[in-house]
Amino acid sequence: MKNKRNLFLIALVIPILLLLSLTWKPLWTLNTGTPIVLETIPVDPRDILYGDYVSLQFAVEEFKEDVIEPELLKDLKKQSFGKIVVYAVLQKEHGDLYGLKSVTAEKPDSGIFLEGQMYRYGDSIVGEEITYYADFLPDRFYVPENTGQRLENLSRKGKLIAKMKVYNGYTVLQDIQPK
């Protein structure tokens, strides 16, 4: 009888522990992460099924070859295709605003950086400048009912900034507001 009760308690506790463990990384980032501000760029959302939200794209997710480390650039231009893990090293520009310093395949030991993914591009056309894209940050921010339209208009004009916390490459988007 006691054995059945112990099994029941274990069966009850394990799912609760698993659910609580899913909240550990975001909560740790919120409590110990470094607060940063990033600039958004315009994007036009197409999905209206999720309620009021603002679709976001960040300036640090779009970059040219000059910020990519040479080894990573070689890897991106290989004939192979697929996703690779990359890191965006950030630097403070002015005030609380951060910008992109470099993109690397090696995880930085220190400083503020974002972990993300990007695709290999294969051979490029000679003489043509390529814009590279990486996915470092969340692309949606849900807002209270009937407030999304104003923020979406500001987003289309590139007039939004996003406040977030970063810890060890992981980010938690806290708020968006007009520049």
Side-chain angles (χ1 to χ4, degrees):
M1 193 66 119
K2 192 172 188 169
N3 194 20
K4 284 185 177 183
R5 185 171 46 121
N6 289 342
L7 286 175
F8 174 74
L9 287 174
I10 289 172
L12 185 67
V13 168
I14 288 177
I16 292 171
L17 289 175
L18 284 173
L19 288 173
L20 288 174
S21 71
L22 293 174
T23 65
W24 177 84
K25 196 171 188 178
L27 289 174
W28 185 260
T29 300
L30 283 172
N31 288 324
T32 62
T34 305
I36 66 170
V37 176
L38 293 175
E39 186 177 11
T40 64
I41 57 177
V43 66
D44 186 18
R46 301 278 183 226
D47 192 354
I48 60 172
L49 299 177
Y50 290 100
D52 282 357
Y53 72 92
V54 177
S55 190
L56 302 170
Q57 180 151 353
F58 296 88
V60 297
E61 294 180 312
E62 194 173 292
F63 46 89
K64 302 288 184 192
E65 286 183 1
D66 60 335
V67 297
I68 302 174
E69 289 193 346
E71 283 298 313
L72 176 58
L73 190 57
K74 265 193 247 177
D75 188 30
L76 289 173
K77 291 185 175 185
K78 286 182 182 175
Q79 285 295 338
S80 62
F81 293 91
K83 287 184 184 180
I84 56 174
V85 175
V86 294
Y87 300 91
V89 179
L90 303 179
Q91 65 184 3
K92 200 168 203 172
E93 290 185 341
H94 53 83
D96 291 337
L97 190 64
Y98 280 76
L100 184 63
K101 179 179 180 183
S102 65
V103 177
T104 179
E106 299 295 321
K107 185 175 183 178
D109 294 329
S110 62
I112 297 175
F113 62 93
L114 306 173
E115 182 178 335
Q117 295 182 338
M118 66 185 296
Y119 288 94
R120 289 184 177 91
Y121 283 73
D123 280 340
S124 60
I125 300 169
V126 176
E128 190 171 308
E129 189 174 33
I130 299 173
T131 300
Y132 292 87
Y133 300 93
D135 187 17
F136 295 115
L137 299 158
D139 60 352
R140 287 186 180 176
F141 185 73
Y142 292 91
V143 294
E145 287 293 320
N146 301 321
T147 62
Q149 187 65 41
R150 180 181 71 82
L151 292 170
E152 195 65 50
N153 289 335
L154 289 170
S155 176
R156 277 192 207 103
K157 296 174 186 173
K159 302 279 186 195
L160 280 182
I161 57 171
K163 292 187 174 194
M164 56 190 67
K165 287 227 178 164
V166 178
Y167 178 76
N168 202 24
Y170 183 78
T171 60
V172 174
L173 183 57
Q174 292 182 298
D175 193 19
I176 57 173
Q177 55 189 224
K179 281 184 187 176

